Amino acid sequence: MIKFQPQQVDRILIFDTTLRDGEQSPGATLHIDEKLTIARQLARLGVDIIEAGFPFASPGDFKAVQQVADQVGLENGPIICGLARATRQDIKAAAEALKPAAHHRIHTFIATSDIHLEYKLKKTRPEVLAIAAEMVAYAKSFTDDVEFSPEDAVRSDPDFLYQVLENAIAAGATTVNIPDTVGYTTPHEFGALIRGISENVSNIDQAVISVHGHNDLGLAVANFLEAIKNGARQLECTINGIGERAGNAALEELVMGLHVRRQYYNPFLGRPPESEAPLTNIDTQQIHKTSRMVSNLTGMLIQPNKAIVGSNAFAHESGIHQDGVLKNKLTYEIMDAQSIGLGDNQIVIGKHSGRNAFRARLQELGFDLSEQDLNKAFVRIKELADKKKEISDRDIEAIVKDETQSQVIGGFRLERVQVSCGDHACPTATVTLYTPDNQELTDAAIGTGPVDAVYRAINRVANVPNRLIEFSVQSVTAGIDAIGEVTIRLQQEDKIFAGYSANTDIIVASAQAYVNALNRLHASTQQPAQSLDSDPLAEQTVHA
Ligand code: KIV
Ligand code: ZN
């Protein structure tokens, strides 16, 4: 059964693709447990549809979609969606992976722009028209909820686009998604395209119009908001705007834009301007937490001035602003920090707090830990409380993240790290690691600084060729006793792997973050991906 009948959609549906398009950001690769953690949080956030992955892409992706379908795709939960190219093998894999979900959707796509037809697919327009209809019908044989995307729609000939969409809807598509694959369009142009589709696709009333867009020119959110004014009712977006190249439209910006300016947008949905009914199903108070979680797990840092979720988004620096805000918040604030879940907490954690208080605070922060993870995090919090008087929510988040991030089974384990350095010393590090086959190995190295020495020593032991391309240390809170969070990225051939760790000792955090990234690299070598470099549709032509 379709969860949202096209004719009954009277609000904006939020389709989250953090786990699919978002995960296509270089270095954002997530483990299955991390995907599940994010999927659960997306369900708490209230997204309508979770695009959990691309099942045919690799056995790991297949399994992740299957697990999300099984554990998050509950009767009153979100629709779980899987991406598939317009081929039988992709659609079959998606259908199989999605089976456990109470509500599932197959999202199939084929390019429609002449540039993609000529150079990528090597197909004619009539061929693409026929494939789109045939593959939508094939997907429909597995589920009645089928979404179709004409890839690179924005650069496609509008008349051809209308024809493809009409055929796809006639074949059973219940959502038609209009992608700005290359992030090229402008708000006015995109609005006109959506209006053109509403007016020229004869059976458009049988499908929800969705939009998907990349942020190459920084216009994705503005384009989507204009699309809503012209009939779009589903937005495909990601947390923190992560995704391919410059990323996708950011969920938090779209949702808060619609929330803060609902009087402006209400009439476009046929409501009176003063209607207080929410325009989306999102629980905005979960936004901050979801954003932090995605940033921590993907290693994609959030710029401080990022709208809604940047660390400066609610900070007032100038004296004039501070004075105004103290007198009345409305002088310089258009939304309340509490509306995105930042704000006053009820329970304060310190040296004398017990396990129950800690559990309650974690629940307030939205963490739902197993007993084992709770115990591990509690031990670390107690250790931290001995060093630091006040423990902030950010400290708790960092520790929980560090303790609960999935350890690659059979990966490297950091046993000991020791450095000696100073202005008259040559930075030297000694490191002991357990290798994947459980051998304890120790080695030492010198470097340009203590972290460099540690990484060189780890390299001597681990012997995994890679290039460190990013290293960042940030203090979680102010003060000399702050926890340091280290995020790194390393590259092997064309693949990028992120690592994260948090510790009051930044050398230990640096070593652990490096080991975590090496383990992701190691895990990827155990799991061969299907080749998606060339489109199988094009290959069929070559072989024919
Ligand atoms: O950007 C794009 O065109 C996509 C499609 C698969 C929807 O991600
Ligand atoms: Zn995309």
Side-chain angles (χ1 to χ4, degrees):
M1 211 183 59
I2 312 181
K3 202 172 173 190
F4 302 107
Q5 299 289 343
Q7 299 82 353
Q8 292 161 3
V9 173
D10 57 358
R11 61 175 168 84
I12 302 298
L13 300 176
I14 298 294
F15 176 115
D16 181 279
T17 183
T18 304
L19 297 178
R20 199 278 296 172
D21 215 323
E23 210 220 3
Q24 286 174 221
S25 318
T29 319
L30 294 160
H31 285 304
I32 194 159
D33 290 348
E34 294 167 335
K35 287 190 181 179
L36 270 170
T37 305
I38 292 177
R40 287 197 188 98
Q41 179 56 26
L42 291 173
R44 257 179 243 126
L45 179 66
V47 308
D48 299 289
I49 303 113
I50 296 178
E51 187 164 53
F54 190 168
F56 187 74
S58 72
D61 242 42
F62 182 93
K63 210 163 156 212
V65 174
Q66 197 173 43
Q67 293 273 306
V68 171
D70 184 47
Q71 297 185 34
V72 187
L74 309 176
E75 186 49 44
N76 54 2
I79 295 172
I80 310 299
C81 175
L83 185 69
R85 291 167 299 184
T87 71
R88 285 179 187 268
Q89 58 190 10
D90 276 39
I91 292 171
K92 200 157 179 263
E96 192 57 35
L98 291 166
K99 254 187 199 160
H103 306 279
H104 54 248
R105 173 179 297 184
I106 296 177
H107 176 192
T108 187
F109 72 98
I110 187 167
T112 49
S113 65
D114 286 338
I115 191 159
H116 277 236
L117 264 61
E118 185 178 346
Y119 296 102
K120 187 180 83 165
L121 299 179
K122 302 193 188 331
K123 295 234 171 276
T124 63
R125 287 187 183 184
E127 283 172 320
V128 166
L129 207 56
I131 292 168
E134 194 186 328
M135 289 303 121
V136 168
Y138 183 57
K140 198 82 180 173
S141 69
F142 296 102
T143 172
D144 54 6
D145 190 346
V146 175
E147 173 168 328
F148 171 73
S149 288
E151 191 190 7
D152 204 16
V154 153
R155 295 191 300 169
S156 302
D157 169 29
D159 288 329
F160 178 55
L161 183 66
Y162 303 151
Q163 251 186 313
V164 177
L165 295 175
E166 203 161 275
N167 277 20
I169 296 170
T174 42
T175 301
V176 285
N177 177 47
I178 312 304
D180 180 13
T181 305
V182 291
Y184 180 70
T185 198
T186 64
H188 185 74
E189 229 173 52
F190 200 48
L193 178 65
I194 301 301
R195 175 144 304 271
I197 290 168
S198 314
E199 288 171 353
N200 292 291
V201 176
S202 68
N203 49 6
I204 198 68
D205 57 328
Q206 293 164 40
V208 172
I209 303 180
S210 166
V211 286
H212 177 109
H214 288 267
N215 210 22
D216 299 66
L217 296 175
L219 293 173
V221 168
N223 292 336
F224 279 27
L225 293 174
E226 201 59 24
I228 291 175
K229 290 163 61 180
N230 289 282
R233 291 294 174 266
Q234 176 181 287
L235 308 179
E236 298 202 356
C237 44
T238 60
I239 303 295
N240 301 336
I242 65 170
E244 192 78 53
R245 306 185 309 280
N248 289 64
L251 181 148
E252 62 279 4
E253 294 176 23
L254 290 163
V255 168
M256 291 312 284
L258 290 169
H259 179 70
V260 172
R261 299 302 311 275
R262 57 186 177 278
Q263 293 199 341
Y264 174 76
Y265 288 103
N266 275 335
F268 296 104
L269 277 89
R271 305 170 176 200
E274 64 282 4
S275 169
E276 287 291 320
L279 282 163
T280 70
N281 189 45
I282 296 296
D283 173 359
T284 62
Q285 298 213 346
Q286 294 286 334
I287 285 179
H288 173 70
K289 174 178 180 340
T290 317
S291 160
R292 296 283 326 147
M293 177 186 283
V294 169
S295 171
N296 286 338
L297 293 176
T298 56
M300 306 274 297
L301 301 176
I302 303 167
Q303 76 200 51
N305 60 326
K306 162 88 175 63
I308 318 292
V309 292
S311 54
N312 289 352
F314 292 91
H316 300 275
E317 176 72 20
S318 105
I320 297 174
H321 287 211
Q322 287 175 349
D323 180 54
V325 168
L326 286 172
K327 288 175 175 147
N328 184 333
K329 276 188 176 186
L330 293 178
T331 52
Y332 286 101
E333 271 186 19
I334 57 161
M335 60 192 149
D336 193 337
Q338 286 180 6
S339 65
I340 63 151
L342 269 170
D344 308 339
N345 54 348
Q346 305 299 314
I347 302 166
V348 178
I349 295 298
K351 198 174 165 115
H352 304 292
S353 303
R355 194 182 307 262
N356 285 343
F358 182 53
R359 191 199 310 271
R361 184 73 202 119
L362 286 178
Q363 272 162 5
E364 277 184 1
L365 290 171
F367 290 107
D368 185 14
L369 300 194
S370 68
E371 207 53 32
Q372 196 190 7
D373 284 342
L374 182 115
N375 288 342
K376 284 197 289 178
F378 186 62
V379 171
R380 285 279 306 272
I381 287 287
K382 282 293 191 186
E383 281 168 13
L384 183 65
D386 278 337
K387 297 180 191 156
K388 211 170 176 260
K389 203 162 150 244
E390 276 175 23
I391 298 195
S392 71
D393 289 348
R394 289 283 290 108
D395 291 323
I396 296 176
E397 257 182 39
I399 287 203
V400 168
K401 158 77 206 312
D402 197 37
E403 278 304 319
T404 59
Q405 67 183 319
S406 45
Q407 301 298 337
V408 175
I409 298 168
F412 295 97
R413 263 182 306 127
L414 180 67
E415 179 65 13
R416 251 185 317 275
V417 55
Q418 197 186 345
V419 292
S420 112
C421 59
D423 61 352
H424 285 87
C426 176
T428 309
T430 310
V431 163
T432 303
L433 284 188
Y434 279 98
T435 63
D437 50 8
N438 220 22
Q439 265 184 287
E440 185 184 317
L441 296 178
T442 299
D443 213 328
I446 55 169
T448 50
V451 176
D452 185 42
V454 167
Y455 284 14
R456 284 173 190 271
I458 292 176
N459 284 344
R460 288 174 70 93
V461 174
N463 201 18
V464 178
N466 73 79
R467 197 163 64 86
L468 182 70
I469 55 170
E470 198 178 309
F471 172 83
S472 113
V473 192
Q474 279 188 323
S475 87
V476 168
T477 50
I480 197 72
D481 55 357
I483 289 184
E485 280 183 309
V486 175
T487 307
I488 69 151
R489 280 162 193 274
L490 50 84
Q491 184 167 16
Q492 190 188 59
E493 293 168 1
D494 60 344
K495 294 218 181 84
I496 297 174
F497 302 88
Y500 166 90
S501 189
N503 201 295
T504 46
D505 185 325
I506 56 166
I507 301 297
V508 177
S510 303
Q512 190 59 60
Y514 191 55
V515 170
N516 291 345
L518 280 182
N519 281 338
R520 282 166 179 242
L521 191 166
H522 176 72
S524 83
T525 60
Q526 319 288 305
Q527 214 182 64
Q530 311 271 4
S531 169
L532 297 176
D533 292 343
S534 57
D535 198 306
L537 293 163
E539 279 168 17
Q540 283 160 21
T541 317
V542 173
H543 296 316

